[in-house]
Amino acid sequence: MNKLIALLTTLLIVTTAVAQNGKDARIKEIRAAYSQAKKKIEQNGKGGKSPKDMSIVFNQLEDEDIPLYNEESINYYFDETYPEGVEVKHPYFIIENWTCHGHTRYREILLNPQNQQVMFCYMKGETDGGFVVESRYYYDTKGKCIEEKHNTDNSWTDSGSEKENAEYYLKLFNMATYNGYFTPLDTNKNAKPTTPKAKRIAQIRSIYAQAKDKIAKNEKAEMPNDLHITIHDLGDDQPPRTIEINMYFDTACYFISKHSSSMSFDGYDEYLFDPQGESLIFSYTRGREEGSEYEWRYYYDENGKCIETKSNSEETDDGFYDKRAAKDFQAIFNTVLNENQE
């Protein structure tokens, strides 16, 4: 009996030692990957190479009476590959900065660039009263937290919530870069009564003018309501490209613009939504390439059907791809807004 107990004790000690060695090796691997990621970020866009990063900046006036102002920026760093000619982005590091009414939060997320699995999360938060919370989480190859460190017992997060945050940020990245993510089209809408074409176009032009006026006032406001996405990518075998996406909202998102530019191409798009922010009512596209410039304007009825097309190109699609893009941008906006309202 004593021999059996001794054997079991020995096995337990050996198993614990093996587990500890595996944990130590994994943490060492994570720290090496973290150091390498920081060096890559430091060199991003330097040495004649194209920067590869994306930023999302979200501004929202939450309460006019107090007032409360929410500002969040999320910065992504990634690599690119082209398997079978298809562009794929591999994010390896995410940084978040958030502030609201004197409260701040800083977050870092280290991802495995091969499979985008979370390896490490760091969060530091501070209240307007000066209370500081700091947490670190280390994850194994299966996504299980194997080590966590806190500066206080009153941590704001845990390993599960941090992993969920990382997955949320990764989802946003994939949505904004079309990295394998596309919004399903809603084809089961109930038909709405439509306005005669001439009157409808006049309504759209009036709403467009109002939207532009709201954007001008928003740009000058101390506390604006907008969401901006900037992507720097390509390079190497292709010219560096910059994509800027701007979304404006009050009770709903009413206007979105997108500007894509490189040495060989310049494109600009606008998407105007009805006052409820549900349906696309007008879209504009301008493309300039190899000295030629093309424009498309599409006007839509209450059911999303194109009722008027104005273009200097023979190729038109009744706004199908504009509706497709508008749906994707709306999904990004709703994802960010819903997350910040929880």
Side-chain angles (χ1 to χ4, degrees):
M1 185 67 176
N2 290 336
K3 290 182 178 180
L4 178 60
I5 293 174
L7 177 61
L8 292 175
T9 302
T10 301
L11 289 174
L12 178 60
I13 293 172
V14 171
T15 302
T16 303
V18 170
Q20 184 63 45
N21 288 338
K23 174 181 169 181
D24 292 344
R26 175 61 175 175
I27 291 176
K28 183 178 180 180
E29 177 188 355
I30 290 171
R31 286 173 175 164
Y34 180 92
S35 177
Q36 182 182 16
K38 282 288 191 174
K39 289 178 181 178
K40 288 174 67 175
I41 292 171
E42 177 65 26
Q43 294 301 313
N44 183 54
K46 295 181 179 179
K49 294 185 178 181
S50 170
K52 292 179 173 57
D53 55 54
M54 183 180 91
S55 67
I56 298 177
V57 178
F58 178 69
N59 303 303
Q60 182 184 26
L61 176 59
E62 294 188 343
D63 193 321
E64 294 183 356
D65 296 327
I66 298 179
L68 284 176
Y69 184 57
N70 178 34
E71 182 177 3
E72 181 180 29
S73 66
I74 310 168
N75 297 289
Y76 299 82
Y77 299 89
F78 58 86
D79 296 319
E80 288 178 302
T81 59
Y82 297 86
E84 300 179 356
V86 179
E87 177 188 348
V88 180
K89 302 185 191 301
H90 305 278
Y92 59 85
F93 207 85
I94 303 171
I95 297 175
E96 181 219 31
N97 281 284
W98 171 88
T99 181
C100 182
H101 203 58
H103 305 289
T104 64
R105 182 178 66 236
Y106 174 79
R107 177 177 278 127
E108 293 182 346
I109 298 168
L110 175 68
L111 300 171
N112 183 325
Q114 274 70 50
N115 56 18
Q116 283 71 65
Q117 191 174 64
V118 181
M119 299 177 71
F120 171 75
C121 294
Y122 169 78
M123 190 282 296
K124 182 178 181 180
E126 184 172 355
T127 68
D128 58 356
F131 178 69
V132 177
V133 175
E134 195 169 5
S135 299
R136 292 172 172 84
Y137 301 95
Y138 300 81
Y139 299 87
D140 65 14
T141 57
K142 296 181 180 179
K144 179 182 177 182
C145 182
I146 55 174
E147 176 81 355
E148 57 183 88
K149 297 180 179 181
H150 308 277
N151 72 326
T152 174
D153 293 335
N154 299 314
S155 177
W156 294 352
T157 62
D158 57 43
S159 61
S161 65
E162 280 303 285
K163 188 177 178 184
E164 288 177 0
N165 280 323
E167 291 169 350
Y168 157 70
Y169 295 134
L170 184 58
K171 176 183 178 182
L172 273 181
F173 176 85
N174 290 333
M175 293 173 74
T177 61
Y178 293 97
N179 208 37
Y181 186 97
F182 296 92
T183 309
L185 284 173
D186 183 7
T187 58
N188 298 318
K189 288 185 177 181
N190 295 323
K192 300 177 182 178
T194 58
T195 305
K197 177 180 174 180
K199 185 177 180 180
R200 175 66 173 176
I201 292 176
Q203 289 176 347
I204 291 171
R205 288 173 174 164
S206 175
I207 295 171
Y208 181 91
Q210 293 172 32
K212 284 290 189 175
D213 183 57
K214 286 166 66 176
I215 291 171
K217 292 178 180 177
N218 185 77
E219 298 290 349
K220 297 177 182 178
E222 182 180 354
M223 296 183 179
N225 285 317
D226 49 41
L227 189 155
H228 304 288
I229 301 174
T230 305
I231 305 172
H232 299 112
D233 62 0
L234 300 181
D236 300 333
D237 295 333
Q238 301 182 55
R241 176 179 63 178
T242 298
I243 301 173
E244 297 175 287
I245 303 166
N246 302 306
M247 306 183 186
Y248 302 93
F249 63 96
D250 38 34
T251 56
C253 182
Y254 59 85
F255 195 91
I256 297 173
S257 66
K258 175 184 176 184
H259 182 206
S260 303
S261 59
S262 73
M263 293 177 61
S264 61
F265 176 80
D266 186 88
Y268 178 74
D269 307 279
E270 291 183 344
Y271 307 91
L272 176 69
F273 300 90
D274 65 29
Q276 287 72 43
E278 296 178 358
S279 302
L280 181 69
I281 62 175
F282 171 76
S283 61
Y284 168 75
T285 300
R286 181 186 70 240
R288 185 183 301 114
E289 189 171 16
E290 296 179 353
S292 298
E293 183 171 308
Y294 301 95
E295 291 184 311
W296 294 265
R297 290 175 174 82
Y298 297 106
Y299 299 80
Y300 307 94
D301 68 11
E302 289 83 349
N303 296 307
K305 179 182 177 182
C306 181
I307 56 173
E308 178 76 355
T309 300
K310 294 181 180 293
S311 176
N312 62 348
S313 171
E314 296 180 357
E315 299 181 5
T316 60
D317 59 9
D318 289 334
F320 173 81
Y321 288 104
D322 284 0
K323 287 188 283 186
R324 164 81 276 174
K327 191 76 174 178
D328 290 331
F329 291 142
Q330 279 185 314
I332 295 170
F333 170 78
N334 291 331
T335 299
V336 174
L337 186 65
N338 291 338
E339 181 70 17
N340 280 270
Q341 289 181 339
E342 291 180 356

